[in-house]
Amino acid sequence: MKEVGSEAALRNAHCELDGLTPKQALAEQANGALLIDVRLEAHSAGIAGIPGAIVIDLMLLSLRLDPTSEHRIPEADSWDSRYVLFCEHGQSSQLAASELRKRGLHRATHMTGGFEAWAGAGLTTVHGSADVRS
C-alpha cells in the first residue's frame, strides 16, 4: 500500500534529493548555484539571512524559476540551473525542491537543517536588505 501524508512526502523527498550541508551549499553558491530563501519571514526586514540568497515566496517558486515562464527571475534561464532551497528548519524547502524536480528543474535541491543549520555552523549571516523576488 502506498504511503500518504506529510511524513511520507518528506521521506520520499529525502530519498530523491541530494540534500546539502550548509558548508556544501556555500561551496555550491561559490560555483554559481543560487541559494533560494523560501521562509515567509524573510520577506520582512530585520530577519537574518544568507548573503547573496534570493527570497522567493514558496507559492510562486515554480513560476519564478521556470525558464519558460514570462514571470521568471532573470537568473532562471535554464532547466539545468542549480538551485539550493532553504527554509528555517529544512522541511518546507525539501518538499519544494522535490516539486521543482518533478517540474523539470532536475538539479534543484535543499540545504538540510535550513537556515538554523547555517547559523549553527557559524557561517556568515546578514540582516536587512533581502533580495526579494516575489
Side-chain angles (χ1 to χ4, degrees):
M1 178 154 71
K2 184 177 177 181
E3 285 187 281
V4 295
S6 300
E7 293 299 319
L10 277 171
R11 279 192 295 279
N12 292 336
H14 177 74
C15 291
E16 64 191 34
L17 295 174
D18 56 334
L20 303 176
T21 67
K23 289 183 180 177
Q24 290 171 323
L26 179 62
E28 293 248 359
Q29 183 186 36
N31 287 321
L34 292 179
L35 294 186
I36 308 291
D37 187 343
V38 299
R39 298 176 298 161
L40 289 176
E41 302 84 13
H43 293 272
S44 59
I47 188 170
I50 295 175
I54 297 171
V55 179
I56 300 177
D57 186 301
L58 194 56
M59 298 303 291
L60 299 174
L61 198 57
S62 62
L63 185 64
R64 297 292 187 249
L65 298 181
D66 179 339
T68 64
S69 171
E70 66 182 65
H71 302 289
R72 71 177 179 82
I73 62 172
E75 297 88 346
D77 58 1
S78 170
W79 291 104
D80 295 323
S81 294
R82 179 69 158 167
Y83 301 113
V84 180
L85 280 54
F86 68 94
C87 58
E88 189 64 27
H89 305 290
Q91 289 88 7
S92 296
S93 58
Q94 183 178 11
L95 290 171
S98 176
E99 278 302 310
L100 288 177
R101 283 196 176 202
K102 289 174 187 172
R103 294 175 186 264
L105 294 165
H106 65 100
R107 296 186 66 221
T109 192
H110 74 107
M111 183 171 60
T112 56
F115 181 79
E116 187 176 81
W118 179 281
L123 298 174
T124 303
T125 61
V126 294
H127 283 77
S129 65
D131 185 359
V132 179
R133 307 282 188 93
S134 294

